[in-house]
mmCIF file with all atom_site columns, all heavy atoms in Angstrom:
data_model
loop_
_atom_site.group_PDB
_atom_site.id
_atom_site.type_symbol
_atom_site.label_atom_id
_atom_site.label_alt_id
_atom_site.label_comp_id
_atom_site.label_asym_id
_atom_site.label_entity_id
_atom_site.label_seq_id
_atom_site.pdbx_PDB_ins_code
_atom_site.Cartn_x
_atom_site.Cartn_y
_atom_site.Cartn_z
_atom_site.occupancy
_atom_site.B_iso_or_equiv
_atom_site.pdbx_formal_charge
_atom_site.auth_seq_id
_atom_site.auth_comp_id
_atom_site.auth_asym_id
_atom_site.auth_atom_id
_atom_site.pdbx_PDB_model_num
ATOM 1   N N   . LYS A 1 1  ? 94.368  121.451 106.161 1.00 95.00 ? 1  LYS A N   1
ATOM 2   C CA  . LYS A 1 1  ? 95.648  120.763 106.369 1.00 95.00 ? 1  LYS A CA  1
ATOM 3   C C   . LYS A 1 1  ? 96.146  121.082 107.820 1.00 95.00 ? 1  LYS A C   1
ATOM 4   O O   . LYS A 1 1  ? 96.105  122.254 108.183 1.00 95.00 ? 1  LYS A O   1
ATOM 5   C CB  . LYS A 1 1  ? 96.674  121.333 105.323 1.00 95.00 ? 1  LYS A CB  1
ATOM 6   C CG  . LYS A 1 1  ? 96.246  121.112 103.919 1.00 95.00 ? 1  LYS A CG  1
ATOM 7   C CD  . LYS A 1 1  ? 97.335  121.470 102.884 1.00 95.00 ? 1  LYS A CD  1
ATOM 8   C CE  . LYS A 1 1  ? 97.563  122.959 102.935 1.00 95.00 ? 1  LYS A CE  1
ATOM 9   N NZ  . LYS A 1 1  ? 98.609  123.436 101.917 1.00 95.00 ? 1  LYS A NZ  1
ATOM 10  N N   . ILE A 1 2  ? 96.542  120.128 108.555 1.00 96.00 ? 2  ILE A N   1
ATOM 11  C CA  . ILE A 1 2  ? 96.988  120.227 109.914 1.00 96.00 ? 2  ILE A CA  1
ATOM 12  C C   . ILE A 1 2  ? 98.324  119.655 110.214 1.00 96.00 ? 2  ILE A C   1
ATOM 13  O O   . ILE A 1 2  ? 98.563  118.450 109.863 1.00 96.00 ? 2  ILE A O   1
ATOM 14  C CB  . ILE A 1 2  ? 95.890  119.733 110.909 1.00 96.00 ? 2  ILE A CB  1
ATOM 15  C CG1 . ILE A 1 2  ? 94.504  120.317 110.594 1.00 96.00 ? 2  ILE A CG1 1
ATOM 16  C CG2 . ILE A 1 2  ? 96.288  120.000 112.300 1.00 96.00 ? 2  ILE A CG2 1
ATOM 17  C CD1 . ILE A 1 2  ? 93.404  119.800 111.521 1.00 96.00 ? 2  ILE A CD1 1
ATOM 18  N N   . GLY A 1 3  ? 99.139  120.330 110.956 1.00 96.00 ? 3  GLY A N   1
ATOM 19  C CA  . GLY A 1 3  ? 100.384 119.802 111.535 1.00 96.00 ? 3  GLY A CA  1
ATOM 20  C C   . GLY A 1 3  ? 100.447 120.106 112.918 1.00 96.00 ? 3  GLY A C   1
ATOM 21  O O   . GLY A 1 3  ? 100.072 121.153 113.374 1.00 96.00 ? 3  GLY A O   1
ATOM 22  N N   . VAL A 1 4  ? 101.020 119.187 113.766 1.00 97.00 ? 4  VAL A N   1
ATOM 23  C CA  . VAL A 1 4  ? 101.153 119.311 115.181 1.00 97.00 ? 4  VAL A CA  1
ATOM 24  C C   . VAL A 1 4  ? 102.551 118.916 115.602 1.00 97.00 ? 4  VAL A C   1
ATOM 25  O O   . VAL A 1 4  ? 103.093 117.871 115.152 1.00 97.00 ? 4  VAL A O   1
ATOM 26  C CB  . VAL A 1 4  ? 100.088 118.469 115.977 1.00 97.00 ? 4  VAL A CB  1
ATOM 27  C CG1 . VAL A 1 4  ? 100.029 118.837 117.415 1.00 97.00 ? 4  VAL A CG1 1
ATOM 28  C CG2 . VAL A 1 4  ? 98.719  118.609 115.311 1.00 97.00 ? 4  VAL A CG2 1
ATOM 29  N N   . HIS A 1 5  ? 103.088 119.728 116.471 1.00 96.00 ? 5  HIS A N   1
ATOM 30  C CA  . HIS A 1 5  ? 104.463 119.440 116.960 1.00 96.00 ? 5  HIS A CA  1
ATOM 31  C C   . HIS A 1 5  ? 104.593 119.983 118.398 1.00 96.00 ? 5  HIS A C   1
ATOM 32  O O   . HIS A 1 5  ? 103.702 120.863 118.794 1.00 96.00 ? 5  HIS A O   1
ATOM 33  C CB  . HIS A 1 5  ? 105.492 120.065 116.079 1.00 96.00 ? 5  HIS A CB  1
ATOM 34  C CG  . HIS A 1 5  ? 106.927 119.840 116.487 1.00 96.00 ? 5  HIS A CG  1
ATOM 35  N ND1 . HIS A 1 5  ? 107.365 118.567 116.863 1.00 96.00 ? 5  HIS A ND1 1
ATOM 36  C CD2 . HIS A 1 5  ? 108.005 120.675 116.521 1.00 96.00 ? 5  HIS A CD2 1
ATOM 37  C CE1 . HIS A 1 5  ? 108.647 118.733 117.178 1.00 96.00 ? 5  HIS A CE1 1
ATOM 38  N NE2 . HIS A 1 5  ? 109.071 119.950 116.934 1.00 96.00 ? 5  HIS A NE2 1
ATOM 39  N N   . ALA A 1 6  ? 105.502 119.510 119.175 1.00 93.00 ? 6  ALA A N   1
ATOM 40  C CA  . ALA A 1 6  ? 105.653 119.974 120.566 1.00 93.00 ? 6  ALA A CA  1
ATOM 41  C C   . ALA A 1 6  ? 107.126 120.054 120.882 1.00 93.00 ? 6  ALA A C   1
ATOM 42  O O   . ALA A 1 6  ? 107.984 119.250 120.395 1.00 93.00 ? 6  ALA A O   1
ATOM 43  C CB  . ALA A 1 6  ? 104.947 119.130 121.557 1.00 93.00 ? 6  ALA A CB  1
ATOM 44  N N   . GLY A 1 7  ? 107.526 120.926 121.783 1.00 91.00 ? 7  GLY A N   1
ATOM 45  C CA  . GLY A 1 7  ? 108.860 121.052 122.170 1.00 91.00 ? 7  GLY A CA  1
ATOM 46  C C   . GLY A 1 7  ? 109.130 122.361 122.923 1.00 91.00 ? 7  GLY A C   1
ATOM 47  O O   . GLY A 1 7  ? 108.178 123.163 123.211 1.00 91.00 ? 7  GLY A O   1
ATOM 48  N N   . PRO A 1 8  ? 110.384 122.725 123.200 1.00 87.00 ? 8  PRO A N   1
ATOM 49  C CA  . PRO A 1 8  ? 110.711 123.977 123.909 1.00 87.00 ? 8  PRO A CA  1
ATOM 50  C C   . PRO A 1 8  ? 110.504 125.178 123.004 1.00 87.00 ? 8  PRO A C   1
ATOM 51  O O   . PRO A 1 8  ? 110.703 125.118 121.820 1.00 87.00 ? 8  PRO A O   1
ATOM 52  C CB  . PRO A 1 8  ? 112.117 123.840 124.278 1.00 87.00 ? 8  PRO A CB  1
ATOM 53  C CG  . PRO A 1 8  ? 112.746 122.840 123.264 1.00 87.00 ? 8  PRO A CG  1
ATOM 54  C CD  . PRO A 1 8  ? 111.583 121.894 122.950 1.00 87.00 ? 8  PRO A CD  1
ATOM 55  N N   . SER A 1 9  ? 110.198 126.283 123.698 1.00 87.00 ? 9  SER A N   1
ATOM 56  C CA  . SER A 1 9  ? 109.875 127.497 122.874 1.00 87.00 ? 9  SER A CA  1
ATOM 57  C C   . SER A 1 9  ? 110.254 128.726 123.713 1.00 87.00 ? 9  SER A C   1
ATOM 58  O O   . SER A 1 9  ? 110.593 128.611 124.966 1.00 87.00 ? 9  SER A O   1
ATOM 59  C CB  . SER A 1 9  ? 108.393 127.580 122.439 1.00 87.00 ? 9  SER A CB  1
ATOM 60  O OG  . SER A 1 9  ? 108.187 128.790 121.666 1.00 87.00 ? 9  SER A OG  1
ATOM 61  N N   . ILE A 1 10 ? 110.157 129.851 123.172 1.00 85.00 ? 10 ILE A N   1
ATOM 62  C CA  . ILE A 1 10 ? 110.302 131.170 123.883 1.00 85.00 ? 10 ILE A CA  1
ATOM 63  C C   . ILE A 1 10 ? 109.053 131.983 123.710 1.00 85.00 ? 10 ILE A C   1
ATOM 64  O O   . ILE A 1 10 ? 108.521 132.140 122.619 1.00 85.00 ? 10 ILE A O   1
ATOM 65  C CB  . ILE A 1 10 ? 111.523 131.939 123.320 1.00 85.00 ? 10 ILE A CB  1
ATOM 66  C CG1 . ILE A 1 10 ? 112.826 131.191 123.601 1.00 85.00 ? 10 ILE A CG1 1
ATOM 67  C CG2 . ILE A 1 10 ? 111.545 133.341 123.929 1.00 85.00 ? 10 ILE A CG2 1
ATOM 68  C CD1 . ILE A 1 10 ? 113.973 131.859 123.003 1.00 85.00 ? 10 ILE A CD1 1
ATOM 69  N N   . ALA A 1 11 ? 108.523 132.361 124.882 1.00 83.00 ? 11 ALA A N   1
ATOM 70  C CA  . ALA A 1 11 ? 107.295 133.240 124.798 1.00 83.00 ? 11 ALA A CA  1
ATOM 71  C C   . ALA A 1 11 ? 107.734 134.746 124.841 1.00 83.00 ? 11 ALA A C   1
ATOM 72  O O   . ALA A 1 11 ? 108.610 135.093 125.639 1.00 83.00 ? 11 ALA A O   1
ATOM 73  C CB  . ALA A 1 11 ? 106.409 132.984 125.999 1.00 83.00 ? 11 ALA A CB  1
ATOM 74  N N   . VAL A 1 12 ? 107.168 135.527 123.964 1.00 80.00 ? 12 VAL A N   1
ATOM 75  C CA  . VAL A 1 12 ? 107.503 136.886 123.920 1.00 80.00 ? 12 VAL A CA  1
ATOM 76  C C   . VAL A 1 12 ? 106.219 137.758 123.664 1.00 80.00 ? 12 VAL A C   1
ATOM 77  O O   . VAL A 1 12 ? 105.199 137.170 123.388 1.00 80.00 ? 12 VAL A O   1
ATOM 78  C CB  . VAL A 1 12 ? 108.539 137.215 122.723 1.00 80.00 ? 12 VAL A CB  1
ATOM 79  C CG1 . VAL A 1 12 ? 109.841 136.437 122.927 1.00 80.00 ? 12 VAL A CG1 1
ATOM 80  C CG2 . VAL A 1 12 ? 107.890 136.887 121.386 1.00 80.00 ? 12 VAL A CG2 1
ATOM 81  N N   . THR A 1 13 ? 106.390 139.062 123.689 1.00 76.00 ? 13 THR A N   1
ATOM 82  C CA  . THR A 1 13 ? 105.240 139.931 123.265 1.00 76.00 ? 13 THR A CA  1
ATOM 83  C C   . THR A 1 13 ? 105.556 140.462 121.982 1.00 76.00 ? 13 THR A C   1
ATOM 84  O O   . THR A 1 13 ? 106.615 140.994 121.719 1.00 76.00 ? 13 THR A O   1
ATOM 85  C CB  . THR A 1 13 ? 105.122 141.038 124.291 1.00 76.00 ? 13 THR A CB  1
ATOM 86  O OG1 . THR A 1 13 ? 104.754 140.531 125.645 1.00 76.00 ? 13 THR A OG1 1
ATOM 87  C CG2 . THR A 1 13 ? 104.085 142.060 123.855 1.00 76.00 ? 13 THR A CG2 1
ATOM 88  N N   . LEU A 1 14 ? 104.576 140.195 121.064 1.00 75.00 ? 14 LEU A N   1
ATOM 89  C CA  . LEU A 1 14 ? 104.765 140.695 119.685 1.00 75.00 ? 14 LEU A CA  1
ATOM 90  C C   . LEU A 1 14 ? 103.402 141.208 119.213 1.00 75.00 ? 14 LEU A C   1
ATOM 91  O O   . LEU A 1 14 ? 102.406 140.557 119.389 1.00 75.00 ? 14 LEU A O   1
ATOM 92  C CB  . LEU A 1 14 ? 105.214 139.578 118.727 1.00 75.00 ? 14 LEU A CB  1
ATOM 93  C CG  . LEU A 1 14 ? 105.471 139.930 117.340 1.00 75.00 ? 14 LEU A CG  1
ATOM 94  C CD1 . LEU A 1 14 ? 106.642 140.837 117.147 1.00 75.00 ? 14 LEU A CD1 1
ATOM 95  C CD2 . LEU A 1 14 ? 105.657 138.692 116.414 1.00 75.00 ? 14 LEU A CD2 1
ATOM 96  N N   . ASN A 1 15 ? 103.383 142.413 118.699 1.00 74.00 ? 15 ASN A N   1
ATOM 97  C CA  . ASN A 1 15 ? 102.132 143.068 118.246 1.00 74.00 ? 15 ASN A CA  1
ATOM 98  C C   . ASN A 1 15 ? 101.076 143.055 119.320 1.00 74.00 ? 15 ASN A C   1
ATOM 99  O O   . ASN A 1 15 ? 99.925  142.750 119.151 1.00 74.00 ? 15 ASN A O   1
ATOM 100 C CB  . ASN A 1 15 ? 101.611 142.357 117.053 1.00 74.00 ? 15 ASN A CB  1
ATOM 101 C CG  . ASN A 1 15 ? 102.555 142.487 115.782 1.00 74.00 ? 15 ASN A CG  1
ATOM 102 O OD1 . ASN A 1 15 ? 103.239 143.506 115.699 1.00 74.00 ? 15 ASN A OD1 1
ATOM 103 N ND2 . ASN A 1 15 ? 102.598 141.390 114.989 1.00 74.00 ? 15 ASN A ND2 1
ATOM 104 N N   . ASP A 1 16 ? 101.573 143.341 120.593 1.00 72.00 ? 16 ASP A N   1
ATOM 105 C CA  . ASP A 1 16 ? 100.701 143.453 121.784 1.00 72.00 ? 16 ASP A CA  1
ATOM 106 C C   . ASP A 1 16 ? 99.893  142.236 122.074 1.00 72.00 ? 16 ASP A C   1
ATOM 107 O O   . ASP A 1 16 ? 98.858  142.212 122.633 1.00 72.00 ? 16 ASP A O   1
ATOM 108 C CB  . ASP A 1 16 ? 99.638  144.617 121.522 1.00 72.00 ? 16 ASP A CB  1
ATOM 109 C CG  . ASP A 1 16 ? 100.286 145.910 121.377 1.00 72.00 ? 16 ASP A CG  1
ATOM 110 O OD1 . ASP A 1 16 ? 101.286 146.173 122.031 1.00 72.00 ? 16 ASP A OD1 1
ATOM 111 O OD2 . ASP A 1 16 ? 99.755  146.762 120.515 1.00 72.00 ? 16 ASP A OD2 1
ATOM 112 N N   . ARG A 1 17 ? 100.562 141.051 121.816 1.00 79.00 ? 17 ARG A N   1
ATOM 113 C CA  . ARG A 1 17 ? 99.938  139.792 122.280 1.00 79.00 ? 17 ARG A CA  1
ATOM 114 C C   . ARG A 1 17 ? 101.110 138.834 122.549 1.00 79.00 ? 17 ARG A C   1
ATOM 115 O O   . ARG A 1 17 ? 102.255 138.953 122.082 1.00 79.00 ? 17 ARG A O   1
ATOM 116 C CB  . ARG A 1 17 ? 99.079  139.227 121.200 1.00 79.00 ? 17 ARG A CB  1
ATOM 117 C CG  . ARG A 1 17 ? 99.776  138.799 119.946 1.00 79.00 ? 17 ARG A CG  1
ATOM 118 C CD  . ARG A 1 17 ? 98.874  137.926 119.023 1.00 79.00 ? 17 ARG A CD  1
ATOM 119 N NE  . ARG A 1 17 ? 99.576  137.656 117.835 1.00 79.00 ? 17 ARG A NE  1
ATOM 120 C CZ  . ARG A 1 17 ? 99.304  138.169 116.661 1.00 79.00 ? 17 ARG A CZ  1
ATOM 121 N NH1 . ARG A 1 17 ? 98.393  139.100 116.611 1.00 79.00 ? 17 ARG A NH1 1
ATOM 122 N NH2 . ARG A 1 17 ? 100.008 137.889 115.625 1.00 79.00 ? 17 ARG A NH2 1
ATOM 123 N N   . LEU A 1 18 ? 100.844 137.775 123.371 1.00 83.00 ? 18 LEU A N   1
ATOM 124 C CA  . LEU A 1 18 ? 101.750 136.687 123.735 1.00 83.00 ? 18 LEU A CA  1
ATOM 125 C C   . LEU A 1 18 ? 101.908 135.779 122.478 1.00 83.00 ? 18 LEU A C   1
ATOM 126 O O   . LEU A 1 18 ? 100.952 135.363 121.893 1.00 83.00 ? 18 LEU A O   1
ATOM 127 C CB  . LEU A 1 18 ? 101.296 135.901 124.841 1.00 83.00 ? 18 LEU A CB  1
ATOM 128 C CG  . LEU A 1 18 ? 101.452 136.524 126.287 1.00 83.00 ? 18 LEU A CG  1
ATOM 129 C CD1 . LEU A 1 18 ? 100.845 135.563 127.312 1.00 83.00 ? 18 LEU A CD1 1
ATOM 130 C CD2 . LEU A 1 18 ? 102.997 136.632 126.548 1.00 83.00 ? 18 LEU A CD2 1
ATOM 131 N N   . ASP A 1 19 ? 103.151 135.681 122.150 1.00 85.00 ? 19 ASP A N   1
ATOM 132 C CA  . ASP A 1 19 ? 103.463 134.737 120.938 1.00 85.00 ? 19 ASP A CA  1
ATOM 133 C C   . ASP A 1 19 ? 104.624 133.818 121.215 1.00 85.00 ? 19 ASP A C   1
ATOM 134 O O   . ASP A 1 19 ? 105.209 133.958 122.358 1.00 85.00 ? 19 ASP A O   1
ATOM 135 C CB  . ASP A 1 19 ? 103.861 135.666 119.704 1.00 85.00 ? 19 ASP A CB  1
ATOM 136 C CG  . ASP A 1 19 ? 103.482 135.004 118.439 1.00 85.00 ? 19 ASP A CG  1
ATOM 137 O OD1 . ASP A 1 19 ? 103.426 133.778 118.401 1.00 85.00 ? 19 ASP A OD1 1
ATOM 138 O OD2 . ASP A 1 19 ? 103.347 135.754 117.397 1.00 85.00 ? 19 ASP A OD2 1
ATOM 139 N N   . TYR A 1 20 ? 104.902 132.967 120.293 1.00 89.00 ? 20 TYR A N   1
ATOM 140 C CA  . TYR A 1 20 ? 105.948 131.919 120.591 1.00 89.00 ? 20 TYR A CA  1
ATOM 141 C C   . TYR A 1 20 ? 106.899 131.889 119.451 1.00 89.00 ? 20 TYR A C   1
ATOM 142 O O   . TYR A 1 20 ? 106.524 131.977 118.260 1.00 89.00 ? 20 TYR A O   1
ATOM 143 C CB  . TYR A 1 20 ? 105.380 130.544 120.775 1.00 89.00 ? 20 TYR A CB  1
ATOM 144 C CG  . TYR A 1 20 ? 104.375 130.467 121.906 1.00 89.00 ? 20 TYR A CG  1
ATOM 145 C CD1 . TYR A 1 20 ? 102.979 130.618 121.714 1.00 89.00 ? 20 TYR A CD1 1
ATOM 146 C CD2 . TYR A 1 20 ? 104.769 130.298 123.196 1.00 89.00 ? 20 TYR A CD2 1
ATOM 147 C CE1 . TYR A 1 20 ? 102.032 130.573 122.754 1.00 89.00 ? 20 TYR A CE1 1
ATOM 148 C CE2 . TYR A 1 20 ? 103.820 130.268 124.340 1.00 89.00 ? 20 TYR A CE2 1
ATOM 149 C CZ  . TYR A 1 20 ? 102.528 130.462 124.089 1.00 89.00 ? 20 TYR A CZ  1
ATOM 150 O OH  . TYR A 1 20 ? 101.620 130.389 125.086 1.00 89.00 ? 20 TYR A OH  1
ATOM 151 N N   . PHE A 1 21 ? 108.197 131.763 119.714 1.00 87.00 ? 21 PHE A N   1
ATOM 152 C CA  . PHE A 1 21 ? 109.181 131.733 118.722 1.00 87.00 ? 21 PHE A CA  1
ATOM 153 C C   . PHE A 1 21 ? 110.218 130.663 119.038 1.00 87.00 ? 21 PHE A C   1
ATOM 154 O O   . PHE A 1 21 ? 110.333 130.184 120.230 1.00 87.00 ? 21 PHE A O   1
ATOM 155 C CB  . PHE A 1 21 ? 109.930 133.139 118.672 1.00 87.00 ? 21 PHE A CB  1
ATOM 156 C CG  . PHE A 1 21 ? 109.168 134.133 117.873 1.00 87.00 ? 21 PHE A CG  1
ATOM 157 C CD1 . PHE A 1 21 ? 108.175 134.879 118.470 1.00 87.00 ? 21 PHE A CD1 1
ATOM 158 C CD2 . PHE A 1 21 ? 109.399 134.277 116.565 1.00 87.00 ? 21 PHE A CD2 1
ATOM 159 C CE1 . PHE A 1 21 ? 107.481 135.779 117.773 1.00 87.00 ? 21 PHE A CE1 1
ATOM 160 C CE2 . PHE A 1 21 ? 108.660 135.251 115.794 1.00 87.00 ? 21 PHE A CE2 1
ATOM 161 C CZ  . PHE A 1 21 ? 107.720 135.961 116.435 1.00 87.00 ? 21 PHE A CZ  1
ATOM 162 N N   . GLY A 1 22 ? 110.994 130.254 118.000 1.00 87.00 ? 22 GLY A N   1
ATOM 163 C CA  . GLY A 1 22 ? 112.058 129.275 118.144 1.00 87.00 ? 22 GLY A CA  1
ATOM 164 C C   . GLY A 1 22 ? 111.989 128.239 117.118 1.00 87.00 ? 22 GLY A C   1
ATOM 165 O O   . GLY A 1 22 ? 111.102 128.222 116.211 1.00 87.00 ? 22 GLY A O   1
ATOM 166 N N   . SER A 1 23 ? 113.053 127.391 117.060 1.00 89.00 ? 23 SER A N   1
ATOM 167 C CA  . SER A 1 23 ? 113.086 126.400 115.954 1.00 89.00 ? 23 SER A CA  1
ATOM 168 C C   . SER A 1 23 ? 112.003 125.416 116.082 1.00 89.00 ? 23 SER A C   1
ATOM 169 O O   . SER A 1 23 ? 111.541 124.930 115.037 1.00 89.00 ? 23 SER A O   1
ATOM 170 C CB  . SER A 1 23 ? 114.463 125.633 116.140 1.00 89.00 ? 23 SER A CB  1
ATOM 171 O OG  . SER A 1 23 ? 114.597 125.039 117.428 1.00 89.00 ? 23 SER A OG  1
ATOM 172 N N   . MET A 1 24 ? 111.465 125.157 117.217 1.00 90.00 ? 24 MET A N   1
ATOM 173 C CA  . MET A 1 24 ? 110.288 124.281 117.384 1.00 90.00 ? 24 MET A CA  1
ATOM 174 C C   . MET A 1 24 ? 109.104 124.839 116.623 1.00 90.00 ? 24 MET A C   1
ATOM 175 O O   . MET A 1 24 ? 108.364 124.210 115.996 1.00 90.00 ? 24 MET A O   1
ATOM 176 C CB  . MET A 1 24 ? 109.972 123.977 118.822 1.00 90.00 ? 24 MET A CB  1
ATOM 177 C CG  . MET A 1 24 ? 108.868 122.902 119.065 1.00 90.00 ? 24 MET A CG  1
ATOM 178 S SD  . MET A 1 24 ? 107.162 123.534 118.878 1.00 90.00 ? 24 MET A SD  1
ATOM 179 C CE  . MET A 1 24 ? 107.001 124.648 120.248 1.00 90.00 ? 24 MET A CE  1
ATOM 180 N N   . VAL A 1 25 ? 108.873 126.207 116.778 1.00 92.00 ? 25 VAL A N   1
ATOM 181 C CA  . VAL A 1 25 ? 107.695 126.825 116.146 1.00 92.00 ? 25 VAL A CA  1
ATOM 182 C C   . VAL A 1 25 ? 107.902 126.737 114.575 1.00 92.00 ? 25 VAL A C   1
ATOM 183 O O   . VAL A 1 25 ? 106.930 126.439 113.865 1.00 92.00 ? 25 VAL A O   1
ATOM 184 C CB  . VAL A 1 25 ? 107.678 128.307 116.645 1.00 92.00 ? 25 VAL A CB  1
ATOM 185 C CG1 . VAL A 1 25 ? 106.410 129.009 115.920 1.00 92.00 ? 25 VAL A CG1 1
ATOM 186 C CG2 . VAL A 1 25 ? 107.520 128.364 118.081 1.00 92.00 ? 25 VAL A CG2 1
ATOM 187 N N   . ASN A 1 26 ? 109.067 126.972 114.155 1.00 92.00 ? 26 ASN A N   1
ATOM 188 C CA  . ASN A 1 26 ? 109.397 126.930 112.706 1.00 92.00 ? 26 ASN A CA  1
ATOM 189 C C   . ASN A 1 26 ? 109.096 125.488 112.155 1.00 92.00 ? 26 ASN A C   1
ATOM 190 O O   . ASN A 1 26 ? 108.496 125.257 111.136 1.00 92.00 ? 26 ASN A O   1
ATOM 191 C CB  . ASN A 1 26 ? 110.799 127.290 112.364 1.00 92.00 ? 26 ASN A CB  1
ATOM 192 C CG  . ASN A 1 26 ? 111.012 128.743 112.699 1.00 92.00 ? 26 ASN A CG  1
ATOM 193 O OD1 . ASN A 1 26 ? 110.153 129.530 112.646 1.00 92.00 ? 26 ASN A OD1 1
ATOM 194 N ND2 . ASN A 1 26 ? 112.306 129.084 112.994 1.00 92.00 ? 26 ASN A ND2 1
ATOM 195 N N   . LEU A 1 27 ? 109.573 124.462 112.925 1.00 93.00 ? 27 LEU A N   1
ATOM 196 C CA  . LEU A 1 27 ? 109.363 123.071 112.470 1.00 93.00 ? 27 LEU A CA  1
ATOM 197 C C   . LEU A 1 27 ? 107.823 122.740 112.531 1.00 93.00 ? 27 LEU A C   1
ATOM 198 O O   . LEU A 1 27 ? 107.343 122.031 111.552 1.00 93.00 ? 27 LEU A O   1
ATOM 199 C CB  . LEU A 1 27 ? 110.144 122.125 113.348 1.00 93.00 ? 27 LEU A CB  1
ATOM 200 C CG  . LEU A 1 27 ? 110.055 120.627 113.061 1.00 93.00 ? 27 LEU A CG  1
ATOM 201 C CD1 . LEU A 1 27 ? 110.411 120.416 111.566 1.00 93.00 ? 27 LEU A CD1 1
ATOM 202 C CD2 . LEU A 1 27 ? 110.881 119.789 114.018 1.00 93.00 ? 27 LEU A CD2 1
ATOM 203 N N   . ALA A 1 28 ? 107.056 123.151 113.470 1.00 94.00 ? 28 ALA A N   1
ATOM 204 C CA  . ALA A 1 28 ? 105.682 122.995 113.569 1.00 94.00 ? 28 ALA A CA  1
ATOM 205 C C   . ALA A 1 28 ? 104.902 123.451 112.310 1.00 94.00 ? 28 ALA A C   1
ATOM 206 O O   . ALA A 1 28 ? 104.088 122.842 111.746 1.00 94.00 ? 28 ALA A O   1
ATOM 207 C CB  . ALA A 1 28 ? 105.070 123.526 114.808 1.00 94.00 ? 28 ALA A CB  1
ATOM 208 N N   . ALA A 1 29 ? 105.414 124.738 111.888 1.00 93.00 ? 29 ALA A N   1
ATOM 209 C CA  . ALA A 1 29 ? 104.754 125.222 110.643 1.00 93.00 ? 29 ALA A CA  1
ATOM 210 C C   . ALA A 1 29 ? 105.147 124.435 109.419 1.00 93.00 ? 29 ALA A C   1
ATOM 211 O O   . ALA A 1 29 ? 104.338 124.212 108.497 1.00 93.00 ? 29 ALA A O   1
ATOM 212 C CB  . ALA A 1 29 ? 105.253 126.710 110.573 1.00 93.00 ? 29 ALA A CB  1
#
């Protein structure tokens, strides 16, 4: 099962890696 979305996000360091957060990320999931 695949979903794809795009938009603005925030890049942060989480668990020693680059990750992305924000409402766009939640909607993509």
Side-chain angles (χ1 to χ4, degrees):
K1 301 184 293 182
I2 304 179
V4 192
H5 182 42
S9 179
I10 294 175
V12 300
T13 296
L14 182 68
N15 297 327
D16 296 325
R17 67 165 175 258
L18 281 174
D19 207 339
Y20 302 96
F21 279 86
S23 57
M24 186 281 290
V25 181
N26 294 334
L27 181 55

